[in-house]
Amino acid sequence: MECVFGLVGKDFTLVVADTSAVHSILVHKSNEDKIMLLDSHKLMGASGEAGDRVQFTEYIQKNVALYQFRNGISLTTAAAANFTRGELATALRKNPYSVNILLAGYDKETGPSLYYIDYIASVHKVDKAAFGYGSYFSLAMMDRHYRGDMTVEEAVDLADKCIMEIRSRLVVAPPNFVIKIVDKDGAREYAWRESVKDVPVPAA
Amino acid sequence: MARYDRAITVFSPDGHLFQVEYALEAVRKGNAAVGVRGTDTIVLGVEKKSTAKLQDSRSVRKIVSLDDHIALACAGLKADARVLINRARIECQSHRLTVEDPVTVEYITRYIAGLQQKYTQSGGVRPFGLSTLIVGFDPYTGVPSLYQTDPSGTFSAWKANATGRNSNSMREFLEKNYKETSGQETVKLAIRALLEVVESGGKNIEVAVMTKEHGLQQLEEAEIDAVVAEIEAEKAAAEAAKKAPPKET
């Protein structure tokens, strides 16, 4: 029931992901951050098998960092997306990773971008995308309300509409979401949308 | 003695590894490099041989980053340096991936030294012809460190050290003039050591400063010139003071 979706705005890209880590009927934690900071200006939201998700995204993150040290310059978002896709493709017919990825980035020359990379290594550059059961609802919402050139407020408002749909219509809807944004100032957390919070219990 | 330098896996009768010693000769011919550790700053300085007119000097960076908090300067065969630096950079990221911690300066030094040693005890290879100066801050304690490795694969920590051409004169200078410094004072000490053996001027030295907050920052030619000017002024003042009042008794 993992939900990840994203959209490109005027000069930023937004990525939203649910934050529950689930194993069968048990919710391990509801504040699991599934959107990784790939580098200063890239976000990688991932959904899929828990072990693969962390292993694969960390592997990509370290390779992106290595590229930067070797070459003194960061990878573009397109290059990072193609590298990620290449790694998925190489492993696909041997030892496939079950991870779906939304890669959001901001490049000085080309502005904001969003790449849809699914677990069988197809890659598409898109304006809006979503994975998981939540995609039935968030994609429909975005198709209805998305425009090119949205401001941050408008985009977050649209994200909230999508979260509302997921919460009300998905049978086992995740309670909490995290919204992250990447623009010319870098990639950072924007907000959380929590409906269930862990209350710290005082010691006996 | 010529018999003992073809395959480096052999010792000479008097216990020498000649290939390693010849590699040290290559280092001695390389450009001068100096490293100074301050309390909150570490400075690396390297001699820049005059760049050819048509060469783009920006493509010849002699002080490199291995990770956000580790930098390296070297003296000797630059092509060999590329190989070692590449392996070290991979190891820095690999360490972060497997244990989710950045490397300590000692760890990466040990790794590089280990690589250099491997090539003194393998068939059909020659040792790396370079000595490195590795600097960085411990990612948790924030303590600054300076290490040196050489072609034999030995490494040790230093407060200040020099390698490459005329390293003995620079080391002598540092031994005489070293004291605990911080910030700009550390930069000055490093440049003063380098100026002992290098023609003065921003064009002939490359200096990089590492701090905990800002990581590695390469100094611009203008900044280096400014410090050099300061140093010359201080030297001139000291000379004048020595000559001026001889009869005070």
Side-chain angles (χ1 to χ4, degrees), chain B residues 139-223:
Chain B
Y140 292 100
T141 61
V143 171
S145 316
L146 164 68
Y147 283 86
Q148 189 207 37
T149 74
D150 65 26
S152 64
T154 50
F155 72 94
S156 52
W158 293 75
K159 292 183 192 158
N161 200 0
T163 179
R165 223 209 315 252
N166 301 119
S167 57
N168 288 327
S169 335
M170 285 193 281
R171 206 171 302 118
E172 249 175 65
F173 174 85
L174 286 168
E175 281 175 11
K176 245 187 275 173
N177 294 285
Y178 179 83
K179 56 184 200 299
E180 287 283 316
T181 52
S182 69
Q184 194 64 356
E185 284 304 308
T186 320
V187 180
K188 261 213 255 184
L189 183 55
I191 296 184
R192 274 167 66 205
L194 209 45
L195 288 178
E196 290 285 305
V197 303
V198 173
E199 215 182 284
S200 103
K203 273 203 294 293
N204 301 313
I205 47 183
E206 187 179 313
V207 180
V209 181
M210 174 158 267
T211 48
K212 189 112 184 58
E213 303 77 36
H214 306 292
L216 188 72
Q217 281 175 318
Q218 307 267 4
L219 291 189
E220 302 272 321
E221 206 177 293
E223 290 177 275

Side-chain angles (χ1 to χ4, degrees), chain A residues 58-59 62 65-66 69-70, chain B residues 67-68 86 89-90 100:
Chain A
E58 283 189 355
Y59 172 73
K62 301 304 183 250
L66 182 61
F69 281 109
R70 274 188 176 144
Chain B
D67 203 342
D68 294 323
N86 192 37
R89 281 173 170 159
I90 294 174
E100 260 191 46

Side-chain angles (χ1 to χ4, degrees), chain B residues 38-236:
Chain B
T39 51
D40 60 357
T41 312
I42 329 174
V43 182
L44 282 172
V46 175
E47 168 193 11
K48 235 188 343 195
K49 268 167 268 197
S50 52
T51 38
K53 278 211 187 102
L54 296 173
Q55 188 183 57
D56 186 352
S57 57
R58 289 168 306 172
S59 66
V60 198
R61 277 256 162 266
K62 300 198 177 166
I63 305 173
V64 297
S65 274
L66 296 183
D67 203 342
D68 294 323
H69 59 302
I70 312 249
L72 175 149
C74 57
L77 269 47
K78 287 298 181 285
D80 286 4
R82 259 200 335 262
V83 173
L84 266 183
I85 289 168
N86 192 37
R87 299 282 295 272
R89 281 173 170 159
I90 294 174
E91 180 60 19
C92 285
Q93 295 306 313
S94 182
H95 187 274
R96 278 178 187 258
L97 186 59
T98 43
V99 303
E100 260 191 46
D101 263 348
V103 296
T104 57
V105 190
E106 204 241 348
Y107 177 93
I108 200 66
T109 307
R110 188 187 296 276
Y111 177 81
I112 292 175
L115 265 182
Q116 287 181 292
Q117 191 282 336
K118 228 181 286 240
Y119 280 68
T120 67
Q121 211 178 10
S122 301
V125 297
R126 61 163 177 79
F128 288 100
L130 69 143
S131 294
T132 68
L133 287 170
I134 301 167
V135 300
F137 287 88
D138 186 290
Y140 292 100
T141 61
V143 171
S145 316
L146 164 68
Y147 283 86
Q148 189 207 37
T149 74
D150 65 26
S152 64
T154 50
F155 72 94
S156 52
W158 293 75
K159 292 183 192 158
N161 200 0
T163 179
R165 223 209 315 252
N166 301 119
S167 57
N168 288 327
S169 335
M170 285 193 281
R171 206 171 302 118
E172 249 175 65
F173 174 85
L174 286 168
E175 281 175 11
K176 245 187 275 173
N177 294 285
Y178 179 83
K179 56 184 200 299
E180 287 283 316
T181 52
S182 69
Q184 194 64 356
E185 284 304 308
T186 320
V187 180
K188 261 213 255 184
L189 183 55
I191 296 184
R192 274 167 66 205
L194 209 45
L195 288 178
E196 290 285 305
V197 303
V198 173
E199 215 182 284
S200 103
K203 273 203 294 293
N204 301 313
I205 47 183
E206 187 179 313
V207 180
V209 181
M210 174 158 267
T211 48
K212 189 112 184 58
E213 303 77 36
H214 306 292
L216 188 72
Q217 281 175 318
Q218 307 267 4
L219 291 189
E220 302 272 321
E221 206 177 293
E223 290 177 275
I224 303 178
D225 277 331
V227 181
V228 169
E230 238 181 271
I231 294 172
E232 314 258 270
E234 279 173 15
K235 251 197 247 177

Side-chain angles (χ1 to χ4, degrees), chain A residues 58-197:
Chain A
E58 283 189 355
Y59 172 73
I60 298 294
Q61 186 194 54
K62 301 304 183 250
N63 272 284
V64 168
L66 182 61
Y67 180 96
Q68 183 161 1
F69 281 109
R70 274 188 176 144
N71 300 285
I73 189 173
S74 301
L75 277 169
T76 59
T77 312
N82 279 286
F83 171 68
T84 306
R85 185 251 151 205
E87 292 298 309
L88 283 169
T90 309
L92 181 62
R93 303 209 187 253
K94 292 198 179 94
N95 212 353
Y97 293 102
S98 304
V99 203
N100 295 308
I101 287 167
L102 284 181
L103 201 149
Y106 184 92
D107 302 302
K108 249 205 312 232
E109 299 80 21
T110 51
S113 52
L114 181 66
Y115 287 85
Y116 168 106
I117 305 167
D118 73 13
Y119 72 104
I120 37 178
S122 49
V123 69
H124 298 287
K125 183 173 185 303
V126 291
D127 286 332
K128 51 182 162 9
F131 281 112
Y133 282 116
S135 69
Y136 289 117
F137 309 104
S138 47
L139 222 36
M141 265 337 239
M142 289 194 286
D143 281 345
R144 172 71 181 80
H145 293 290
Y146 178 87
R147 289 179 335 273
D149 271 22
M150 290 175 91
T151 64
V152 179
E153 290 71 32
E154 290 170 333
V156 174
D157 190 63
L158 177 50
D160 279 328
K161 284 196 172 72
C162 296
I163 292 173
M164 173 81 83
E165 279 305 299
I166 293 170
R167 277 192 176 143
S168 53
R169 289 296 185 183
L170 187 54
V171 62
V172 200
N176 301 336
F177 289 81
V178 66
I179 302 174
K180 293 203 182 181
I181 190 172
V182 58
D183 61 15
K184 66 173 175 23
D185 299 321
R188 59 192 178 281
E189 201 175 275
Y190 183 84
W192 283 72
R193 299 285 185 249
E194 287 170 308
S195 62
V196 162
K197 214 177 174 135

